Amino acid sequence: MGTRAWALLLVLCGTIFLEGIDVAMLAVAIPSIRSDLDLPTDTAAWVMSAYVLGYAGFTLLGGRAADLLGRRRMFLTWLTVFLAFSGLGGFATEGWTLIVARFVTGVSAAFMTPAALSLITTSYEEGEQRNKALLVFAGTAAGGFSLGLVIGGLLTQLGWRWVFFAPVLLAGALLVAAIRLIPHQPHQPRSAESENAESANAEPENAEPENAEPEKSPVHPRRRTEGFDILGAATAAAAMLLAAYAVIRLEHGLDGWRLTVGAALAATTLLVVFVAVERRTPTPLVRLGILRTGSVVRADLGALLFVGAFFGFQFVLTLYLQELRGWSSLQTAIALVVLGCDAILAPTLTPRLVTRFGHAKVILGGFVLAVVAYGLFLPVGMDWSYAAMFPTLIIAGTAFALAYGPLTIAATDGVAESEQGLASGLLHTFTQFGSAIGISAVTAVYGLASSGASAGSDPDATLSAFRAALIVPVVMVTLGALLSSFGIGSRTKPPTAGAPAAPAAPTTAAATVIAATPADAIPGASTNPARQGSS
């Protein structure tokens, strides 16, 4: 790649790095924020959960908007929104202001990140160059999260407001560079129009019409929003918001189960309505035929299981270190930095493995390593040294490097360029829900397993609850390994089609906020014996 191509990649990678450090720094700063603003536990929890709702609720819409309304336009617009509301959070004096700021920040990430990823898939040559760019993107996401934990700890010592102001400075620099480096893409309306024609006429053939209409592009800019699926967009956003809320509610276990079930039923009903709308509209927001692509569905489900297991494990580890061992937030953050080894391995080792073995086998290898890593931590003891934990941490980070990047490649294998944003949005949606499900599942299991302990007075019972919760990530990656094994026989060569990378930090982003935060700031955590004993 030339100098300008690398500069563009640096800007796009800077976006996912920005989101990674943003959520990681907030995770470390939440206890200080709660103390300074005198926030109740529920409010502090919603400061984090609001981001999950915004991100997961609008990711699907954000991905498709990049295809239909212009990737450059969506990227620049929502990067600006991200900058503005991160700054608003820094000036907050009440909990509701922080909640609003984090919700809108999550929404902006839901539009900005798919746009960045689809810019990569349409700006770099299909094949080795694009795959390398995607793997660098994935590694940068992990690096943002890992460094964000440490930087967040340091900035919190200066004042928690710097956790919001620092991303503003970085976002401003990225915005200036992006305006200069991201080229205008007048062909995008043509791609959207051709995709709409494909949906109305013949779902399986969506690449050929795209090549047949370039001469029409001059008349399309004034019709960018014509035929936009407003009803589909509204039902999709509402369904995703309710589904994300239901998943977050799982952290409460049986407490308030009627509200959880009600949200889940409402989300299911809206999803049914959404499918019906998409089947009938001539210009669907989501062409349902894309879900018939085996590699796309397999990669999306694999990402859900892998990311969910990763952040579920990290959450349990954080509770173990802070609640049971008494480590500080900064000590915990430094201990978890080794998980970010994939920031180095993803752009260096993983491309070579993908070239030699193909992404399907590399993904399976990542899942197998994850099973080993989490399995090694199951017998965790009351006084394990960091040296005893280190093998699990380094293997888990390596597993992330092997699986995460190639999953982003597989997620749009065989998908037309006009649907790159849609495929990216689907992948983002699955990873966001995976992270939320992983956190909620381990929290629920921990709460149920520790319900018999007497308010945290029995450390052995608390440790036993941690071990029970650790079974969840082991089960998730085992299921993921079984699922990914089905792709081995069907794809034996290295991929040639690029794919949008997943939002490690956001996806991760939503889960990261919860995973790196002490239990007293997590929904349902106030019922945990360990926390009750300390309050």
Side-chain angles (χ1 to χ4, degrees):
M1 291 188 291
T3 303
R4 188 175 182 85
W6 274 110
L8 175 60
L9 181 60
L10 181 63
V11 170
L12 298 177
C13 287
T15 304
I16 198 67
F17 182 85
L18 167 68
E19 201 210 359
I21 65 169
D22 176 74
V23 295
M25 289 191 301
L26 180 65
V28 177
I30 276 291
S32 297
I33 295 173
R34 191 181 69 161
S35 176
D36 186 41
L37 299 183
D38 194 25
L39 302 179
T41 298
D42 288 346
T43 301
W46 273 107
V47 170
M48 299 176 297
S49 298
Y51 187 93
V52 180
L53 288 174
Y55 202 117
F58 290 88
T59 298
L60 186 59
L61 177 59
R64 200 65 188 116
D67 288 333
L68 299 178
L69 304 180
R71 299 177 181 108
R72 185 180 190 272
R73 172 187 291 184
M74 289 295 98
F75 181 85
L76 297 178
T77 298
W78 290 101
L79 177 58
T80 303
V81 175
F82 187 99
L83 182 157
F85 278 84
S86 183
L88 175 63
F91 289 108
T93 57
E94 297 183 25
W96 70 266
T97 310
L98 280 175
I99 292 173
V100 170
R102 293 309 293 172
F103 178 78
V104 179
T105 302
V107 172
S108 65
F111 283 84
M112 174 181 70
T113 308
L117 300 177
S118 57
L119 278 168
I120 288 181
T121 60
T122 55
S123 299
Y124 296 89
E125 184 179 355
E126 184 179 3
E128 182 177 352
Q129 185 182 88
R130 184 183 297 175
N131 292 342
K132 182 177 182 179
L134 292 173
L135 293 172
V136 170
F137 191 92
T140 304
F145 164 65
S146 302
L147 291 176
L149 291 174
V150 179
I151 295 173
L154 296 175
L155 289 179
T156 301
Q157 301 299 316
L158 299 176
W160 63 263
R161 296 183 187 278
W162 279 104
V163 167
F164 290 90
F165 295 144
V168 170
L169 299 177
L170 178 56
L174 289 173
L175 183 61
V176 172
I179 292 174
R180 294 177 58 88
L181 290 171
I182 300 177
H184 292 276
Q185 298 168 309
H187 67 282
Q188 286 179 1
R190 187 267 305 165
S191 296
E193 192 78 23
S194 67
E195 190 279 328
N196 291 340
E198 295 156 16
S199 301
N201 299 321
E203 285 188 340
E205 299 177 4
N206 54 8
E208 295 175 4
E210 182 184 351
N211 297 328
E213 294 190 331
E215 68 276 6
K216 296 184 181 180
S217 60
V219 300
H220 285 165
R222 69 175 183 272
R223 298 172 59 196
R224 281 191 175 193
T225 59
E226 183 177 325
F228 190 78
D229 184 13
I230 300 296
L231 181 57
T235 54
M240 293 299 101
L241 281 169
L242 286 169
Y245 179 69
V247 169
I248 293 171
R249 286 285 310 171
L250 291 176
E251 298 174 357
H252 295 271
L254 298 178
D255 183 24
W257 65 269
R258 290 183 178 84
L259 181 58
T260 304
V261 172
L265 289 176
T268 303
T269 301
L270 283 172
L271 283 174
V272 172
V273 173
F274 172 70
V275 171
V277 169
E278 299 307 278
R279 286 184 178 277
R280 296 184 179 185
T281 182
T283 56
L285 178 72
V286 176
R287 185 180 63 84
L288 299 178
I290 195 174
L291 299 177
R292 300 183 191 131
T293 306
S295 62
V296 171
V297 176
R298 195 161 48 241
D300 288 345
L301 289 175
L304 183 151
L305 291 168
F306 189 87
V307 171
F310 182 82
F311 287 103
F313 166 75
Q314 188 181 79
F315 174 65
V316 177
L317 175 61
T318 302
L319 285 182
Y320 166 75
L321 294 176
Q322 295 191 16
E323 293 296 308
L324 197 60
R325 302 293 297 277
W327 291 24
S328 68
S329 296
L330 184 57
Q331 287 175 313
T332 301
I334 294 174
L336 297 181
V337 165
V338 67
L339 287 171
C341 65
D342 70 324
I344 299 174
L345 297 178
T348 55
L349 174 65
T350 307
R352 298 180 182 178
L353 295 177
V354 169
T355 300
R356 182 170 181 177
F357 300 107
H359 58 253
K361 291 182 180 179
V362 177
I363 290 171
L364 178 59
F367 271 106
V368 171
L369 281 182
V371 173
V372 173
Y374 304 148
L376 286 175
F377 211 79
L378 284 176
V380 60
M382 188 71 69
D383 55 355
W384 267 25
S385 65
Y386 184 69
M389 306 176 207
F390 187 80
T392 287
L393 299 179
I394 192 67
I395 294 174
T398 303
F400 202 95
L402 294 185
Y404 190 63
L407 278 169
T408 68
I409 296 173
T412 55
D413 195 17
V415 176
E417 181 177 318
S418 61
E419 293 184 322
Q420 288 293 308
L422 170 59
S424 174
L426 286 170
L427 181 61
H428 282 55
T429 300
F430 274 82
T431 54
Q432 283 298 308
F433 275 98
S435 62
I437 288 171
I439 297 294
S440 298
V442 297
T443 302
V445 171
Y446 173 78
L448 292 173
S450 61
S451 60
S454 54
S457 61
D458 187 351
D460 290 330
T462 302
L463 179 62
S464 178
F466 285 140
R467 289 172 176 166
L470 285 168
I471 296 175
V472 173
V474 174
V475 171
M476 293 184 75
V477 288
T478 300
L479 291 174
L482 293 175
L483 176 66
S484 61
S485 66
F486 288 107
I488 297 296
S490 61
R491 192 157 299 279
T492 58
K493 62 181 180 179
T496 57
T507 175
T508 26
T512 298
V513 172
I514 307 174
T517 307
D520 58 4
I522 310 301
S526 59
T527 63
N528 292 340
R531 174 54 56 189
Q532 290 175 347
S534 62
S535 58

